[in-house]
Amino acid sequence: MGSVKGIIPRGAEEGSVSGMAIEAGKGKTTRRGALFLLGGGLLLAGCAGNAPSALYGLNAASFEAVPGRSRAVQVLVPRPRALKALDSDYIAVVENGMIYSYFPQAAWTDALPNVVQAKIVETLQGTGRLRGVGVPGEGLLIDYQLQTEVRSFELRVDGANRGLVEISAKLVNDRNGRTIGTQVFRAETPTGGSSVDQAVAALNASADRVFTDMASWILQRI
């Protein structure tokens, strides 16, 4: 596979001889040399800059109002948990599931868990089947909580480039604390390339499937 051009660890400084890459599962950064091995090609660390020049958002799933009886319930969607490497506005690139690097000069519009939380809420609202959906602090009389964890949300370059999204979900009855069900939702979409635009488009497509499947799963259980 060819090199993924333009991807460097965020935090590398112009003129520096080292950058940073986050090693998955270890909650720390490891110093790397000026040349980074990624996707089978060597990348020269350049300037990531203090502020991105492009911000990218996610779409809520294209989930039209679902026919059937509306549920007189309200669902709370707390902020998703996430690996430290994903709990930021950086757009991640992962090789072999071990080292996280990031696109330079590009970022999500907010920390990724906040973006995912907002789009889950929008998707559930778009079903037209729930009395209320919201986040903590909005004064809901909560019937259920949707607790989630972002496990993957990245461009994968270990083989064919693809946008991978994996989110685990637990639906909890807030009145008695009983877990209604747990499910892991996963989707991946080929990117057709390695640019940030292609990566974000693939991640949006994968997230759309995950959010749609999650909404259907919730409606079946409440």
Side-chain angles (χ1 to χ4, degrees):
M1 185 182 66
S3 63
V4 184
K5 297 182 180 179
I7 302 171
I8 63 173
R10 289 290 294 268
E13 297 178 356
E14 185 172 11
S16 67
V17 295
S18 65
M20 290 193 300
I22 298 176
E23 192 167 354
K26 295 190 177 180
K28 65 179 182 179
T29 56
T30 56
R31 290 289 176 179
R32 312 278 286 181
L35 293 177
F36 294 84
L37 183 62
L38 182 61
L42 290 175
L43 304 177
L44 180 63
C47 176
N50 293 326
S53 58
L55 297 177
Y56 291 84
L58 289 177
N59 300 318
S62 52
F63 206 114
E64 296 182 359
V66 178
R69 182 171 59 88
S70 295
R71 307 294 185 183
V73 298
Q74 300 193 76
V75 179
L76 180 74
V77 183
R79 187 182 192 269
R81 299 184 301 275
L83 293 172
K84 184 177 180 179
L86 295 174
D87 195 357
S88 73
D89 63 346
Y90 303 155
I91 301 174
V93 182
V94 179
E95 182 179 27
N96 298 325
M98 292 298 295
I99 302 297
Y100 285 75
S101 298
Y102 306 94
F103 282 100
Q105 298 299 328
W108 299 115
T109 53
D110 199 348
L112 178 62
N114 295 342
V115 175
V116 170
Q117 178 189 33
K119 298 311 172 184
I120 291 174
V121 169
E122 287 183 35
T123 299
L124 290 176
Q125 290 172 337
T127 67
R129 294 276 299 277
L130 301 169
R131 172 175 290 178
V133 184
V135 301
E138 292 187 342
L140 293 178
L141 295 174
I142 305 165
D143 298 293
Y144 295 92
Q145 282 197 40
L146 177 65
Q147 301 172 2
T148 56
E149 179 181 7
V150 180
R151 295 183 175 179
S152 297
F153 212 107
E154 65 249 4
L155 171 65
R156 280 295 181 108
V157 294
D158 51 351
N161 292 353
R162 62 204 187 277
L164 172 63
V165 173
E166 182 176 310
I167 300 176
S168 66
K170 179 167 70 172
L171 186 63
V172 177
N173 185 321
D174 196 70
R175 298 186 182 278
N176 59 24
R178 185 169 67 90
T179 297
I180 303 302
T182 59
Q183 184 74 33
V184 177
F185 301 92
R186 177 187 173 99
E188 53 185 83
T189 304
T191 64
S194 58
S195 71
V196 65
D197 287 342
Q198 291 169 315
V200 170
L203 287 168
N204 253 306
S206 295
D208 185 280
R209 301 208 313 269
V210 165
F211 296 154
T212 299
D213 290 346
M214 188 181 299
S216 297
W217 173 78
I218 291 168
L219 292 176
Q220 291 170 7
R221 279 157 180 77
I222 62 175

